[in-house]
């Protein structure tokens, strides 16, 4: 099964993508997570991506495309989170990597997205996602799953979020039309609670 989880920043791609991957026992490939890992290790790519990510801009397509191609090599099943993000990447995926069987499209209003993102906290160790308003950890600043320290992403401030939303509208929204024409898109209301969204996604998958 070759899946994409698609949607604006904060729609729940990471939250739902991780649950789907766990349930289906498939690999989740998050381009954002890969870039953040490079930033942490201060690789050449990390140094370049750091600035772009804080500014809410996209990392260049050639770098992102070859990184994804390498990540999925040899895999029959996977779920892509954060890729493709523009038409160049979508065409590369379909023509140079493999055709996508289903796009899980998460839809959420902008005011909710901003609220979610400025209140998101992520585990510095296992990358689990929490939210001070909607999915708080059991004890403040500590990951429920592994005890790691919870941190805030550098791009989770109101300025960066607004820029990311602009980029999504301009560059990423056309991608959903491209896949709609292929008849592989299913849209879900991502403003509902996480369990409800997950239940609906799983019911729609032919597994
Ligand atoms: P990326 O890491 O992909 O970020 P994003 O697309 O902006 O999406 P987010 O991770 O912010 O949100 P999400 O949809 O995963 O939501 P989450 O589940 O965390 O990319 C970051 C940057 O990397 C990009 O801006 C770009 O610079 C670069 N990049 C990445 N991919 C690239 C590519 N292909 N090409 C070029 N550059 C690329 O949920 C958000 C919060 O809400 C959490 O706190 C969560 O707990 C909470 N929440 C989730 N679901 C619910 C719910 N149903 N109810 C209540 N709260 C919820
Ligand atoms: Mg994410």
């Amino acid at each position: 099964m070759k899946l994409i989880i698609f949607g604006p920043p904060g729609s729940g791609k990471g939250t739902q993508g991780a649950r789907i991957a766990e349930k289906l026992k498939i690999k989740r490939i998050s381009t954002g997570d890969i870039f953040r890992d490079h930033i942490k290790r201060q690789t050449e790519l990390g140094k370049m991506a750091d600035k772009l990510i804080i500014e809410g801009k996209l990392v260049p397509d050639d770098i992102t495309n070859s990184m994804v191609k390498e990540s999925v090599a040899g895999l029959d099943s996977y779920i892509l989170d954060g890729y493709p993000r523009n038409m160049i990447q979508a065409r590369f995926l379909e023509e140079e990597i493999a055709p996508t069987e289903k796009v899980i499209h998460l839809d959420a209003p902008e005011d909710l997205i901003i609220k979610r993102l400025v209140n998101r906290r992520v585990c510095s160790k296992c990358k689990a996602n929490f939210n001070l308003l909607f999915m708080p950890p059991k004890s403040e600043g500590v990951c429920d799953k592994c005890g790691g320290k919870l941190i805030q992403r550098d791009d989770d401030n109101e300025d960066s979020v607004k820029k990311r939303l602009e980029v999504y509208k301009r560059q990423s929204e056309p991608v959903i039309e491209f896949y709609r024409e292929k008849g592989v898109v299913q849209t879900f209301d991502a403003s509902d609670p996480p369990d409800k969204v997950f239940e609906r996604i799983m019911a729609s998958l032919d597994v």
Side-chain angles (χ1 to χ4, degrees):
M1 196 176 275
K2 294 177 172 65
L3 307 173
I4 294 174
I5 188 147
F6 192 94
S11 55
K13 300 183 295 295
T15 305
Q16 298 298 335
R19 293 179 72 168
I20 297 163
E22 192 182 15
K23 186 85 181 169
L24 300 180
K25 298 187 173 59
I26 61 175
K27 190 170 173 191
R28 168 175 156 257
I29 293 149
S30 155
T31 41
D33 280 352
I34 301 175
F35 292 136
R36 282 184 287 276
D37 183 54
H38 275 275
I39 294 171
K40 207 171 164 187
R41 292 186 286 118
Q42 281 292 293
T43 65
E44 282 309 305
L45 169 56
K47 286 178 198 160
M48 188 246 275
D50 199 6
K51 196 167 170 282
L52 292 169
I53 289 180
I54 292 174
E55 287 170 356
K57 293 178 182 158
L58 298 186
V59 177
D61 293 326
D62 51 345
I63 294 172
T64 309
N65 284 337
S66 44
M67 189 175 88
V68 174
K69 191 170 184 179
E70 209 175 280
S71 304
V72 303
L75 297 177
D76 286 332
S77 296
Y78 48 77
I79 181 161
L80 299 175
D81 164 355
Y83 180 91
R85 246 179 156 91
N86 60 23
M87 283 310 298
I88 293 172
Q89 296 181 9
R91 288 204 186 92
F92 184 86
L93 173 64
E94 297 309 302
E95 288 159 21
E96 308 288 331
I97 303 182
T100 302
E101 283 150 58
K102 186 167 177 127
V103 179
I104 298 161
H105 173 218
L106 302 178
D107 194 26
E110 225 167 82
D111 51 342
L112 181 62
I113 282 171
I114 297 173
K115 229 186 205 172
R116 279 185 185 175
L117 290 180
V118 296
N119 288 292
R120 169 167 55 190
R121 296 294 181 270
V122 288
C123 176
S124 54
K125 243 167 124 185
C126 75
K127 301 194 186 90
N129 242 318
F130 297 88
N131 195 285
L132 299 182
L133 291 182
F134 305 112
M135 296 158 65
K138 288 192 188 105
S139 53
E140 205 188 311
V142 182
C143 175
D144 291 357
K145 293 186 179 155
C146 76
K149 187 176 170 224
L150 298 184
I151 54 167
Q152 187 166 20
R153 264 169 54 172
D154 290 339
D155 60 346
D156 277 349
N157 58 74
E158 208 162 326
D159 271 358
S160 295
V161 171
K162 285 189 174 148
K163 284 181 198 134
R164 283 152 65 197
L165 282 166
E166 271 168 40
V167 170
Y168 177 80
K169 272 197 198 126
R170 205 163 11 95
Q171 302 202 39
S172 307
E173 270 180 0
V175 171
I176 206 71
E177 289 312 315
F178 168 77
Y179 282 109
R180 262 204 195 106
E181 279 165 27
K182 292 183 184 291
V184 294
V185 178
Q186 193 157 354
T187 300
F188 297 87
D189 181 356
S191 53
D192 282 328
D195 286 350
K196 210 167 178 183
V197 179
F198 181 62
E199 212 174 280
R200 285 201 210 111
I201 295 172
M202 289 315 295
S204 79
L205 294 172
D206 212 6
V207 287

